[in-house]
Amino acid sequence: MSAVAQSLTDPATRRMADALRMLAIDAVEAAKSGHPGMPLGMAEIAVALWDRHLKHNPRNPAWPDRDRFILSNGHGSMLLYGLLHLTGYDLPIDELKRFRQLHSKTPGHPEVGVTPGVETTTGPLGQGLANGVGMALAEALLAREFNRPGQRIVDHRTYVFAGDGCLMEGVSHEAASLAGTLKLDKLTVLYDDNGISIDGHVAQWFADDTPARFAAYGWHVVRDVDGHDVDAVDRALHAARASDRPTLICCRTVIGQGAPSKAGTHDVHGAPLGADEVERTRRALGWTYPPFVIPDEVRARFDANERGAAAEADWRARFDAYRKRYPGEAAEFERRTQGGLPAHWHDTVHALLRDADVAGESVATRKASQKAIAALARSLPEMLGGSADLTGSNLTDWPGAVEVRVDGENDGDNKNNDSHGLRGGNYLHYGVREFGMSAAMNGIALHRGYLPFGGTFLTFSDYSRNALRMAALMKTRAIFVFTHDSIGLGEDGPTHQAVEHAASLRLIPGLDVWRPCDTVETARAWISAVERDGPSCLLLSRQNLPFVTRSAAQIADIARGAYVLRDWAADSAHQQPVRIVLIATGSEVALALDAVAPLAAAGIAARVVSMPSTSVFDRQPREWRDAVLPPDVRRVAIEAGVRAFWRQYVGLEGGVVGIDTFGESAPAAALFEYFKLNTQALVDEARRVAHGGR
């Protein structure tokens, strides 16, 4: 072992770190795959945090006021699994033996909902840190909203382990800058500064002055901490607790610490040590136990059940006292942290759909969305909106929204006597940080207590795509609002005009994508997104769209993703007209409706199907799908986007009117005509398909 490791003068504490090392080594060796280097290098850091600071209860991993722990460098998952197992979570040793195996509770990277005690799914580097920013933000805002003088029911911290890879990824820069600006003082990141990544020594491609960079973000930085000295890390954690800013603790470590020939090299990063090196490591550590065997005295030191139960019991006693004094606030806190909807939710839904229908407005769906947000926010105080510096375009704010600010930027008393530098509110300006915003929203949603939504242009969904994918993988209850959904954006040109984006987002499993055609469909999309236990995307127009009249039954059917908006109609001179189904979304629904009359005049009876959400429609029973899209009737789809996506609905014999090139800079109306996204093009394609391609 290196000299730094010998600075651990307490043999019992050193034994705890070595237990984590050996569990990681044994599990990776059994799986014949994995990343042992980080668990070996961060073992002492983990002991310092989990044994001396982390507030958690293994018997109840979800109690609201627990500290949150995030392994942003998720490839080192065995460090977390070892901690969860040893501290008392429902993660038996047999699951560690099944590391990386099918349907085990120990997948290759930590997955929320799979392993008890895992707070977020990590692996795509940097996003765990950004999730942590969202969690710390949720804690700060909940404390502002619910704490009262002498009554602190929200008072926990967020801890993140991160490595060089996390800090190279751009999303960590976005998130760290936001955290510093918002003074999220209960956020602490422990940086595993070992100088190694998969390709080797990072000095050749990562020479940042990381402490100076975080100091420039407004963080409190603790430099040059010996990451193999539990007492040194402990002191740094105490310093973080005393700071009024987020803290970065820079821990100097040796990757693979304890492995005699591989420590300090990239060889130990992402591959098993091998039988010979494992045996040499056992001897070097003085670890005489067989694989997966931990001595009782070490288990006893790790066991957090008793102190965890005591911490939760203390909180519940304080919450009971809070409930007696503030019964309404207590009930609201419980509802929101449990993810429930208010008792009057059905009345809200009815009123929102009724008002949108009665108003009959022909407005842009981004404007219809803003009206829906305003109505929902009156019933859902947990709504936490925002935008990536496009509020005036995305229209994600609403009358009565209160901007989240830091102290000194607005007036008002701090009625809750909280130490946060953050002022309360329900609308956040994320700045030009689409990826950071989306990843932070995932953290807010995972924390619970708020329903986050945030906006940007649809074309910029590319910037945040991996966070959208992670939202779908984790089933986070977050709503991503994407406006300016097509070439209808107009004069800003092809750099800003979405073409492939709707189809691309629909390909992400578990992500509900809505592209509504008017105010009523927009209201229904919002309702479905709020009700869903998972993420949703709303794709909204810049340009005004005509209002569509519907029956009450049709309004109800919108929730099924696709429905018959106009049924067969034909010239009376044709006794047995040819039939065809026109499928449309968003702004193109109006074009499909306009095509019905000229097709009827040509003896073709058209059914118009509005399909605002292919994702939702695909989940419907076969009977519904066949009733909406009769299998024996040919189909034509129209959407201002790439055509290939629609082949699954129209088949090879069907037709698609769309756009397979980038756009142009011109007014929207001129663009729709130039690209032949118009009623005549749809009529021509429908006639061709209806007559067998002739």
Side-chain angles (χ1 to χ4, degrees):
M1 295 179 68
S2 70
V4 288
Q6 296 300 328
S7 65
L8 287 171
T9 55
D10 176 5
T13 303
R14 184 160 61 244
R15 215 63 168 153
M16 294 174 73
D18 288 344
L20 291 172
R21 287 191 172 93
M22 293 314 306
L23 283 176
I25 288 172
D26 293 339
V28 171
E29 204 66 26
K32 302 195 183 309
S33 73
H35 298 76
M38 186 278 269
L40 271 64
M42 292 194 78
E44 284 84 11
I45 301 171
V47 170
L49 175 61
W50 281 66
D51 187 50
R52 302 185 185 184
H53 291 268
L54 195 69
K55 180 177 67 173
H56 64 117
N57 183 7
R59 295 174 187 167
N60 183 12
W63 68 288
D65 203 41
R66 69 193 182 280
D67 289 342
R68 271 57 169 185
F69 173 77
I70 299 170
L71 194 76
S72 188
N73 42 356
H75 54 272
S77 56
M78 264 311 303
L79 178 63
L80 178 53
Y81 299 149
L83 287 163
L84 293 170
H85 168 72
L86 291 170
T87 55
Y89 286 80
D90 183 18
L91 191 66
I93 195 69
D94 285 347
E95 291 293 342
L96 274 63
K97 293 178 181 178
R98 297 180 61 228
F99 178 54
R100 287 181 163 233
Q101 305 308 300
L102 184 64
H103 298 150
S104 75
K105 291 184 179 181
T106 51
H109 293 85
E111 295 184 34
V112 66
V114 173
T115 312
V118 171
E119 299 282 4
T120 181
T121 300
T122 55
L125 295 176
Q127 284 196 67
L129 193 157
N131 295 163
V133 171
M135 291 182 186
L137 174 61
E139 191 276 343
L141 292 176
L142 281 173
R144 285 294 193 199
E145 188 173 351
F146 286 98
N147 287 353
R148 296 294 182 269
Q151 301 275 346
R152 297 173 65 86
I153 61 167
V154 182
D155 187 14
H156 53 269
R157 306 186 70 84
T158 301
Y159 295 98
V160 179
F161 280 7
D164 289 306
C166 294
L167 300 189
M168 282 187 259
E169 286 286 1
V171 66
S172 69
H173 297 239
E174 295 181 25
S177 173
L178 181 64
T181 301
L182 296 178
K183 301 180 181 178
L184 298 178
D185 58 308
K186 290 187 176 179
L187 173 64
T188 300
V189 175
L190 293 109
Y191 166 35
D192 179 28
D193 184 11
N194 59 39
I196 296 289
S197 67
I198 292 177
D199 281 356
H201 292 274
V202 301
Q204 298 301 313
W205 52 85
F206 182 51
D208 299 15
D209 186 342
T210 296
R213 174 156 60 88
F214 274 76
Y217 290 149
W219 286 53
H220 168 227
V221 178
V222 183
R223 300 168 181 256
D224 298 323
V225 175
D226 182 348
H228 298 295
D229 184 337
V230 173
D231 292 331
V233 177
D234 177 43
R235 289 191 295 271
L237 287 165
H238 278 291
R241 299 177 72 90
S243 176
D244 61 354
R245 293 171 288 159
T247 296
L248 177 74
I249 301 175
C250 300
C251 300
R252 288 284 186 181
T253 64
V254 176
I255 191 171
Q257 175 68 21
S261 64
K262 294 189 175 182
T265 73
H266 69 280
D267 295 331
V268 77
H269 181 282
L273 297 183
D276 290 344
E277 185 75 357
V278 169
E279 188 55 38
R280 294 180 64 196
T281 303
R282 274 188 154 77
R283 290 197 299 268
L285 298 178
W287 192 264
T288 59
Y289 308 97
F292 296 105
V293 174
I294 304 297
D296 291 342
E297 63 273 15
V298 175
R299 287 189 175 277
R301 279 289 302 269
F302 268 110
D303 191 346
N305 280 293
E306 186 174 343
R307 67 176 182 269
E312 182 178 351
D314 174 71
W315 178 81
R316 294 203 177 276
R318 288 186 281 114
F319 188 76
D320 288 342
Y322 179 90
R323 188 199 307 276
K324 289 178 182 178
R325 189 165 181 182
Y326 306 104
E329 289 85 346
E332 179 70 4
F333 179 82
E334 289 182 313
R335 178 187 73 79
R336 286 167 52 175
T337 54
Q338 292 167 10
L341 291 167
H344 58 274
W345 173 245
H346 292 298
D347 295 334
T348 300
V349 170
H350 175 75
L352 180 55
L353 291 172
R354 179 200 63 213
D355 293 347
D357 187 45
V358 170
E361 295 179 294
S362 294
V363 298
T365 50
R366 61 172 175 159
K367 184 63 178 178
S369 170
Q370 187 180 45
K371 291 176 179 289
I373 292 169
L376 291 168
R378 289 193 290 270
S379 298
L380 297 169
E382 60 264 41
M383 290 185 72
L384 178 60
S387 177
D389 203 48
L390 287 168
T391 296
S393 294
N394 298 150
L395 303 184
T396 43
D397 62 347
W398 67 98
V402 178
E403 294 181 4
V404 174
R405 294 182 178 272
V406 294
D407 283 336
E409 293 192 10
N410 64 348
D411 297 321
D413 295 328
N414 181 1
K415 66 177 181 180
N416 297 336
N417 294 329
D418 208 288
S419 63
H420 293 297
L422 195 68
R423 293 281 178 177
N426 55 9
Y427 192 84
L428 185 64
H429 294 283
Y430 283 97
V432 187
R433 302 183 179 101
E434 291 89 354
F435 196 179
M437 173 183 72
S438 301
M441 285 168 56
N442 284 338
I444 294 167
L446 289 165
H447 181 280
R448 289 186 176 266
Y450 289 103
L451 173 57
F453 64 93
T456 187
F457 288 0
L458 178 55
T459 190
F460 301 145
S461 64
D462 285 339
Y463 283 135
S464 55
R465 184 176 174 86
N466 201 258
L468 303 178
R469 183 177 188 273
M470 295 302 293
L473 179 61
M474 296 189 286
K475 302 180 176 67
T476 62
R477 191 162 164 247
I479 302 172
F480 303 93
V481 179
F482 296 118
T483 66
H484 298 62
D485 67 342
S486 72
I487 58 171
L489 180 149
E491 292 86 345
D492 276 347
T495 59
H496 285 52
Q497 291 166 4
V499 174
E500 77 279 18
H501 300 80
S504 177
L505 292 175
R506 290 170 181 144
L507 294 176
I508 299 177
L511 183 66
D512 275 7
V513 179
W514 290 84
R515 188 171 183 249
C517 76
D518 70 352
T519 55
V520 176
E521 284 193 358
T522 303
R524 180 66 251 184
W526 263 105
I527 292 164
S528 295
V530 168
E531 291 177 339
R532 185 169 193 246
D533 190 17
S536 300
C537 294
L538 276 57
L539 316 187
L540 307 171
S541 73
R542 178 196 185 211
Q543 72 274 30
N544 289 347
L545 304 183
F547 174 77
V548 180
T549 58
R550 299 174 184 80
S551 67
Q554 287 175 315
I555 292 175
D557 288 343
I558 298 171
R560 307 188 78 161
Y563 63 104
V564 177
L565 188 57
R566 294 288 183 271
D567 216 351
W568 318 108
D571 189 284
S572 59
H574 297 82
Q575 299 300 314
Q576 292 183 322
V578 178
R579 293 187 172 188
I580 197 160
V581 176
L582 307 179
I583 308 170
T585 78
S587 52
E588 290 69 66
V589 169
L591 301 180
L593 290 171
D594 289 344
V596 171
L599 286 172
I604 301 173
R607 166 181 284 187
V608 176
V609 170
S610 178
M611 192 178 285
S613 178
T614 62
S615 329
V616 174
F617 178 69
D618 290 346
R619 293 199 297 269
Q620 301 306 305
R622 167 66 67 180
E623 294 76 16
W624 177 262
R625 286 179 282 140
D626 286 349
V628 173
L629 302 177
D632 58 346
V633 179
R634 292 191 176 186
R635 309 161 189 172
V636 175
I638 180 169
E639 185 174 59
V642 292
R643 292 179 238 239
F645 173 84
W646 289 102
R647 284 293 165 192
Q648 63 189 305
Y649 297 101
V650 303
L652 295 178
E653 74 285 356
V656 182
V657 177
I659 175 172
D660 288 326
T661 67
F662 293 114
E664 296 281 350
S665 178
L671 291 171
F672 275 90
E673 288 303 311
Y674 175 76
F675 287 107
K676 292 183 170 53
L677 283 162
N678 54 35
T679 299
Q680 187 58 54
L682 179 58
V683 169
D684 292 345
E685 182 67 2
R687 292 182 67 173
R688 184 190 69 80
V689 170
H691 293 296
R694 298 189 300 276

